């Protein structure tokens, strides 16, 4: 019921043998999935495959087993020395989407189907990126990836990530107007609380490929002005010496709903994890699971202390000791996770800023090429209005941007963009 992937799998691993192997298949295959996932995380790919492949189509754990197998085919997992087989990974992802209908009302299954859609689209993107631009199969893969992203429900919690990845897919397909339109959506008030530093880098790269160098510089300045201060704040937090328990407390304070709703300006310099980054970390499934377990332990402690029948007896004392030990154990695990994740966010943001610097250097080099070719640089340039973007059919209505965001337009923006490159 708690979806525990720490304690229960370890118990099953120690007790697995003939008694468990004689259980009915419905239960046995569930155990096989749990042990297969555990083996994957422990860096035992051979054992993981042996367990997971026994979970047959139609079993409640079949789709979850297919997901782990897909990850392994992508070359992921500790000590997995297999060469990535993206085509086989795609097959596993398709198996999941075939097993779980898009109309399912089961939240856990719906989440897994969404993960499979993301996984399949990423595999298709990776395969397409390795093909020549004139290869028709390349376009077919990118089109399929886009269709999968579009299965993610509009305005759902996962929609922002789907939009962002669609932006890169359109970019790879040389559909720059669609890519810029998606980024325009992601910069709308609807996504105000979304942590998305790479969005600015993506936008700068699109402008770079179209030789809009003045727009590259403007985009990078907005990016650096917003995220360099956050990086400095995060470095200070990560540089402080604290034990795992204090890391857990830091995350609880940083991700408190009242703080997240306050925004970056009001929380700047408060000594906690920068609010946008904290909100991003709080959405991670591992944090949700670990924090949820600790919340459940606290509830049980409260139940024991509030039971007037036996609260003062030896049984209550024994149970409270067990619960307190469990609490300390999970706080240590959770605090360690928070510490590692906070450092990871620092490194990732630093990486994005470094990429921005590289784009700036490449842009300066390209401008030098313009000067050598006798072409003037773009300074205070005024561009003529371009024809409206392509309209797919008469179910769409064209409406030019007038500085306002409307809910029914979010996600459908398109830019008219023209290359200004010499060639």
């Amino acid at each position: 019921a708690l979806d525990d992937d720490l304690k229960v799998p370890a118990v099953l691993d120690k007790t697995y043998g003939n008694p468990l192997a004689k259980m009915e298949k419905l239960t046995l295959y569930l155990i096989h999935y749990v042990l297969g996932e555990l083996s994957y995380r422990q860096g035992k790919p051979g054992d993981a495959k042996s367990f997971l492949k026994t979970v047959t189509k139609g079993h409640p754990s079949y789709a979850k087993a297919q997901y782990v197998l897909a990850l392994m085919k992508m070359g992921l997992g500790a000590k997995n020395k297999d060469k990535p087989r993206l085509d086989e990974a795609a097959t596993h992802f398709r198996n999941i989407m075939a097993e779980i209908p898009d109309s399912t009302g089961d939240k856990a299954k719906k989440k897994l189907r969404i993960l499979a859609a993301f996984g399949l689209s990423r595999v298709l993107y990776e395969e397409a990126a390795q093909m020549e631009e004139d290869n028709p199969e390349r376009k077919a893969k990118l089109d399929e990836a886009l269709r999968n992203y579009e299965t993610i429900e509009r305005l759902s919690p996962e929609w922002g990530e789907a939009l962002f990845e669609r932006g890169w897919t359109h970019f790879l397909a040389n559909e720059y107007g669609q890519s810029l339109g998606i980024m325009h959506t992601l910069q709308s008030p609807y996504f105000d609380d979304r942590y998305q530093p790479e969005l600015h880098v993506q936008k700068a790269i699109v402008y770079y490929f179209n030789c809009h160098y003045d727009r590259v510089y403007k985009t990078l300045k907005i990016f650096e002005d917003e995220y360099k201060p956050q990086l400095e704040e995060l470095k200070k937090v990560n540089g402080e010496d604290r034990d795992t328990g204090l890391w857990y407390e830091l995350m609880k304070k940083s991700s408190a709903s009242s703080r997240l709703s306050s925004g970056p300006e009001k929380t700047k310099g408060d000594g906690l994890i920068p609010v946008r980054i904290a909100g991003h970390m709080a959405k991670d499934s591992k944090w949700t699971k670990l924090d949820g377990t600790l919340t459940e332990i606290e509830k049980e402690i409260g139940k024991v202390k509030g039971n007037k029948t036996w609260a003062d007896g030896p049984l209550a004392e024994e149970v409270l000791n067990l619960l307190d030990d469990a609490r300390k154990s999970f706080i240590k695990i959770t605090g360690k996770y928070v510490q590692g994740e906070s450092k990871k966010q620092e490194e990732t943001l630093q990486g994005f800023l470094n990429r921005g610097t590289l784009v700036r250097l490449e842009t300066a080099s390209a401008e030098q090429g313009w000067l050598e070719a006798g072409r003037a640089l773009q300074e205070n340039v005024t561009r003529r209005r371009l024809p409206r973007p392509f309209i797919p059919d008469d179910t769409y209505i064209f409406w030019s941007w007038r500085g306002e965001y409307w809910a029914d337009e979010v996600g459908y923006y398109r830019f008219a963009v023209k290359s200004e490159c010499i060639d």
Side-chain angles (χ1 to χ4, degrees), residues 280-296:
H280 177 70
M281 291 170 62
K283 293 175 183 176
D284 184 81
S285 59
K286 188 167 184 180
W287 161 258
T288 303
K289 187 178 291 185
L290 289 168
D291 186 48
T293 301
L294 281 163
T295 300
E296 188 65 26

Side-chain angles (χ1 to χ4, degrees), residues 117-130:
F118 273 110
L120 178 56
S121 293
R122 289 163 183 166
V123 165
L124 293 167
Y125 177 95
E126 193 66 29
E127 289 181 314
Q130 297 172 18

